[in-house]
């Protein structure tokens, strides 16, 4: 494991050069990897592992998601089973169900976590807040995590393009003495770009903060606030959307993704540079207290409890779809549909 500096701070990272795929295959050659859940992360991780030559099976309830697994080449009775049967057959149980689903199936899953097996997660939620989730693993198994920093779709797409999605890794419980090598081999096997070390708790807190913050919640709130101000002052939907979202996602984000924010600033007009430098301070000062409040809510387990309570309601799916429908049908994202259709082909 290499030590690298990120912003002057030294961290432990694992690269594919120092931990090649051949080494990962050798470590896991006698393991049966049971991917439980074929929803968000399941397809990307299982297909990448299969393509990389590992012994993989999938556990999924029958229904649309099960049918999708069949279309992806998983064979019922051979590589596709019920959740319970896959967990029974697997030596490494990759629990890639949603947080709510993990809680509901845990009693049945736990029955098949016999001595020496490994229980794998891609999110620290269930373990970090196990006083709320009830997910308390047996003491005689390894409990490990690899958390890709992106969606399962991105993981698969980047794998097919010959690239890798970065991921964090953590060891919660090492019963066999092989937890670390199992974890790193799985991280390489699913197609990680590089792996950086964390803990279940840090991953869970940072993940929930990020989702509610700059990755989803805050960015939608910022987009909507600017869009509304422009519209309220007479700007058209097309102009408001282009100046708020389209220019950011299509022009500016590729610049700072490539070489950093300073490089993006340097490749904009002097007027844009001056304005951005002057206004980043007021935005920071206004937003940081909200992020701090969010972080404290996550750390105390309040966000986890809210998620558990919401997801356990019988009409959760109907309520969720209604909220997503309102978002989808808002003027800003209806304008987005037209803007996307007007992009040149290939975009």
């Amino acid at each position: 494991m290499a030590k690298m500096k990120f912003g002057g701070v030294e961290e432990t990272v694992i690269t594919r050069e120092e931990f090649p795929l051949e080494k990962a295959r050798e470590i896991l050659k006698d393991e049966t990897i049971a991917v439980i859940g074929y929803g968000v992360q399941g397809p990307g991780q299982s297909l990448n592992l299969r393509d990389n030559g590992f012994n993989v099976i999938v556990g999924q309830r029958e229904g649309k998601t099960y049918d999708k697994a069949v279309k992806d080449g998983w064979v019922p009775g051979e590589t596709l089973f019920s959740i319970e049967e896959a967990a029974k057959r697997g030596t490494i149980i990759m629990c890639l169900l949603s947080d709510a689903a993990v809680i509901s199936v845990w009693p049945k899953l736990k029955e098949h976590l016999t001595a020496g097996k490994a229980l794998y997660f891609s999110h620290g939620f269930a373990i970090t807040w196990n006083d709320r989730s009830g997910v308390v693993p047996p003491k005689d198994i390894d409990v490990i995590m690899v958390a890709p920093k992106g969606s399962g779709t991105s993981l698969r797409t980047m794998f097919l393009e010959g690239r890798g999605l970065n991921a964090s890794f953590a060891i919660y419980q090492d019963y066999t003495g092989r937890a670390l090598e199992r974890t790193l081999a799985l991280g390489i096997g699913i197609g990680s770009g590089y792996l950086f070390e964390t803990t279940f708790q840090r991953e869970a807190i940072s993940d929930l903060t990020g989702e509610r913050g700059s990755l989803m919640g805050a960015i939608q709130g910022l987009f909507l606030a600017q869009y509304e101000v422009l519209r309220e002052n007479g700007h058209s939907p097309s102009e408001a959307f282009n100046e708020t979202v389209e220019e950011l996602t299509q022009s500016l984000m590729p610049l700072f993704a490539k070489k950093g924010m300073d490089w993006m600033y340097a490749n904009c007009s002097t007027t844009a540079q001056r304005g951005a430098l002057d206004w980043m301070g007021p935005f920071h000062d206004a937003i940081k207290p909200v992020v701090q409040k969010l972080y404290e809510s996550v750390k105390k387990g309040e966000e986890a409890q809210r998620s558990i309570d919401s997801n356990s309601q019988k009409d959760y799916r109907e309520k969720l779809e209604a909220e997503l429908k309102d978002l989808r049908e808002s003027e800003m994202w209806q304008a987005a549909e037209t803007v996307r259709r007007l992009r040149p082909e290939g975009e």
Side-chain angles (χ1 to χ4, degrees):
M1 294 188 285
K3 296 288 186 180
M4 297 186 69
K5 287 188 176 182
F6 294 80
V9 178
E10 192 171 73
E11 295 185 36
T12 300
V13 299
I14 311 297
T15 67
R16 291 192 281 191
E17 286 71 30
E18 64 178 306
F19 202 109
L21 184 58
E22 293 74 19
K23 180 178 179 179
R25 289 196 192 106
E26 178 62 25
I27 289 170
L28 301 180
K29 65 181 180 180
D30 296 323
E31 304 267 20
T32 297
I33 303 167
V35 174
I36 308 300
Y38 206 72
V40 178
Q41 282 288 337
Q45 295 199 34
S46 62
L47 291 171
N48 290 0
L49 283 164
R50 186 177 71 181
D51 288 354
N52 272 334
F54 294 89
N55 180 25
V56 189
I57 60 176
V58 170
Q60 174 61 44
R61 293 190 184 96
E62 291 193 9
K64 290 183 179 180
T65 306
Y66 185 95
D67 295 340
K68 181 182 184 302
V70 172
K71 289 179 181 178
D72 286 344
W74 302 101
V75 181
E78 294 182 16
T79 55
L80 178 59
F81 304 93
S82 68
I83 289 175
E84 293 83 354
E85 183 63 25
K88 180 180 178 181
R89 290 171 178 254
T91 58
I92 296 175
I93 313 302
M94 296 181 70
C95 188
L96 300 181
L97 297 159
S98 68
D99 296 323
V102 173
I103 295 170
S104 67
V105 306
W106 176 247
K108 293 182 179 179
L109 198 62
K110 188 176 180 179
E111 293 177 12
H112 303 292
L113 296 174
T114 52
K117 288 191 176 185
L119 176 61
Y120 165 112
F121 292 95
S122 281
H123 186 21
F125 185 105
I127 294 293
T128 297
W129 293 292
N130 59 18
D131 58 328
R132 301 167 187 264
S133 70
V135 179
V136 180
K139 297 294 185 183
D140 57 359
I141 64 169
D142 294 341
V143 183
I144 61 180
M145 178 176 67
V146 177
K149 298 299 103 180
S151 70
T153 300
S154 299
L155 181 72
R156 181 62 175 166
T157 300
M158 293 175 75
F159 175 84
L160 293 173
E161 293 173 350
R163 301 187 293 146
L165 185 65
N166 300 332
S168 60
F169 74 93
I171 312 297
Y172 179 77
Q173 188 168 283
D174 182 6
Y175 172 76
T176 66
R178 298 180 53 239
L180 179 60
E181 67 175 14
R182 279 170 142 178
T183 303
L184 299 181
L186 288 164
I188 296 301
I190 66 171
S192 301
Y194 74 84
L195 294 149
F196 61 94
E197 192 172 19
T198 188
T199 66
F200 273 66
Q201 184 183 47
R202 291 207 309 265
E203 190 282 334
I205 292 174
S206 62
D207 189 79
L208 264 65
T209 301
E211 291 168 347
R212 286 150 179 75
S214 65
L215 300 180
M216 295 174 68
I219 199 166
Q220 166 62 16
L222 174 61
F223 284 166
L224 185 59
Q226 180 170 305
Y227 181 88
E228 287 176 343
V229 168
L230 289 172
R231 291 287 289 121
E232 288 162 4
N233 284 276
H235 299 269
S236 69
S238 177
E239 184 170 54
F241 184 82
N242 272 279
E243 294 294 349
T244 300
V245 181
E246 188 75 353
E247 185 172 352
L248 172 66
T249 59
Q250 301 303 301
S251 175
L252 301 183
M253 286 182 74
L255 294 181
F256 66 78
K258 185 176 182 181
K259 291 190 178 181
M261 190 66 75
D262 61 321
W263 191 73
M264 186 268 278
Y265 276 25
N267 282 273
C268 293
S269 70
T270 55
T271 303
Q273 290 170 6
R274 184 69 268 145
L277 290 167
D278 288 345
W279 277 91
M280 68 182 186
F283 272 109
H284 167 271
D285 294 346
I287 293 168
K288 187 170 181 180
V290 179
V291 177
Q292 187 63 49
K293 183 179 179 181
L294 163 61
Y295 186 86
E296 291 303 320
S297 180
V298 172
K299 190 175 181 180
K300 291 175 182 176
E302 294 170 354
E303 295 300 309
Q305 191 62 54
R306 187 175 290 114
S307 177
I308 291 169
D309 291 344
S310 175
N311 293 344
S312 63
Q313 295 175 8
K314 291 182 179 180
D315 59 350
Y316 165 70
R317 287 289 175 187
E318 291 78 6
K319 289 180 177 177
L320 175 64
E321 181 50 40
E323 290 182 271
L324 294 177
K325 183 174 182 287
D326 288 343
L327 186 62
R328 182 170 60 249
E329 294 182 354
S330 66
E331 184 188 272
M332 183 170 72
W333 292 110
Q334 287 297 301
E337 287 195 11
T338 304
V339 171
R340 286 194 293 268
R341 287 198 300 269
L342 292 172
R343 289 177 189 163
E345 284 191 27
E347 298 184 9

